[in-house]
Amino acid sequence: MAGALADKVAIVTGGGSGIGRGVARLFAREGAAVAVFDISLGAAEETVALIRGGRGVASATVCDVADGASVMEAVSQVLTVHGRVDVLHANAGIGLPAKLLADTSETEWQRVMAVNLDGVYHCVHAVLPSMRQRRAGAIVITASPHAVLTYRGMGAYAASKGGVLALSRAVALDHAAEGIRCNAVLPGAIDTAMVRAEAESQADPEAALRQLAALQPVGRLGRPEDVAPAVLFLAADAAAFITGAALAVDGGLLARLGG
Ligand SMILES: NC(=O)c1ccc[n+]([C@@H]2O[C@H](COP(=O)([O-])OP(=O)(O)OC[C@H]3O[C@@H](n4cnc5c(N)ncnc54)[C@H](O)[C@@H]3O)[C@@H](O)[C@H]2O)c1
């Protein structure tokens, strides 16, 4: 199959919804065999059905990225079928309704860290042996603008995303000489289930969505289809000289000082 990921084997975590689904679909259109990992098997299967409807190659695997054993099992299945992993998009993540750190319970803090930070560690750690053996591989991690700047009430989420941004640089440095690249994307406010759930927790959800859209200089929410090409670019061989980079896909959000 032709395309930027022709004959590649790719894993997309959190591929059952939102950004991950957009990336999984684009990866498949670009020729990859895509393993869709998600904590919801039904959601992963929906993504796979969409891909197969477009004549792409994909499989659905239930996997909780917060659980190292679950990730190992899911990655082993991919290795058994395909013999390798060329691309990992470590994307699964959760939000938390906005609350001050003082009001964030230890349980809430630990769950956000377990999925957003430990989850990325588990996935990267599980694919590295195969990538190191083949001296090739591309990893793209979904971070967030909250990794570098944030607003009130986002403590746990911002800390988890700052952690994965630091982790992406560390992985890039540790494995650059082995032909393995690792980069991060920082999506702005993207219209997905996560953002809609956060808006629903506000008194006026539609107003909350409008406010979020207005924060971004382009004046709208992003779509998963806006993020997917950036992930594809970093995952593909065209980006062979790019590693340790953080690519904002945020409608200008991080460029804004005010106004
Ligand atoms: N939507 C945004 O505005 C935005 C902005 C910046 C970063 N992000 C990040 O993008 C990533 C994807 O978010 P989204 O907006 O597409 O959300 P989403 O809720 O639409 O999709 C997230 C997917 O991850 C899955 N998931 C949740 N916990 C999991 C777990 N423990 N193991 C495996 N799968 C799990 C969910 O079932 C869901 O299918 C997240 O890391 C999020 O933090 C989102």
Side-chain angles (χ1 to χ4, degrees):
M1 195 172 186
L5 296 182
D7 302 323
K8 303 265 193 196
V9 178
I11 292 172
V12 179
T13 72
S17 174
I19 294 169
R21 174 173 286 177
V23 168
R25 296 185 74 182
L26 183 58
F27 276 11
R29 282 202 297 278
E30 291 294 327
V34 183
V36 179
F37 287 8
D38 205 286
I39 199 165
S40 160
L41 183 59
E45 284 173 343
E46 275 179 36
T47 299
V48 167
L50 289 167
I51 290 173
R52 290 187 180 155
R55 296 173 178 265
V57 177
S59 61
T61 306
V62 67
C63 167
D64 177 0
V65 296
D67 175 355
S70 169
V71 172
M72 281 308 251
E73 170 62 29
V75 170
S76 310
Q77 283 179 30
V78 176
L79 290 172
T80 302
V81 174
H82 297 284
R84 66 185 203 279
V85 177
D86 300 296
V87 173
L88 165 68
H89 181 205
N91 165 78
I94 55 171
L96 191 64
K99 55 172 70 180
L100 302 183
L101 198 71
D103 301 327
T104 303
S105 71
E106 191 167 351
T107 308
E108 290 168 328
W109 169 270
Q110 282 174 348
R111 185 61 190 161
V112 171
M113 290 297 160
V115 178
N116 293 4
L117 181 53
D118 299 358
V120 173
Y121 160 76
H122 290 143
C123 295
V124 169
H125 196 250
V127 301
L128 274 174
S130 146
M131 289 183 173
R132 295 184 81 189
Q133 201 174 17
R134 301 183 55 251
R135 299 188 68 78
I139 298 170
V140 183
I141 295 173
T142 304
S144 162
H146 288 282
V148 287
L149 295 171
T150 192
Y151 41 78
R152 291 178 79 240
M154 298 297 290
Y157 184 79
S160 72
K161 291 300 181 177
V164 290
L165 183 57
L167 179 64
S168 73
R169 290 191 205 102
V171 172
L173 286 186
D174 282 1
H175 300 289
E178 295 173 322
I180 299 165
R181 298 182 300 103
C182 183
N183 293 288
V185 286
L186 281 56
I190 310 299
D191 191 356
T192 67
M194 178 185 286
V195 159
R196 295 237 158 214
E198 168 62 20
E200 287 300 327
S201 74
Q202 311 284 320
D204 184 346
E206 283 308 315
L209 286 175
R210 278 198 302 276
Q211 202 180 0
L212 209 49
L215 268 183
Q216 313 198 98
V218 297
R220 68 168 174 86
L221 293 176
R223 295 176 291 260
E225 296 74 27
D226 292 317
V227 183
V231 179
L232 173 68
F233 168 66
L234 292 171
D237 291 342
F241 202 60
I242 303 178
T243 194
L247 179 56
V249 190
D250 67 352
L253 185 66
L254 282 173
R256 179 170 230 164
L257 198 56

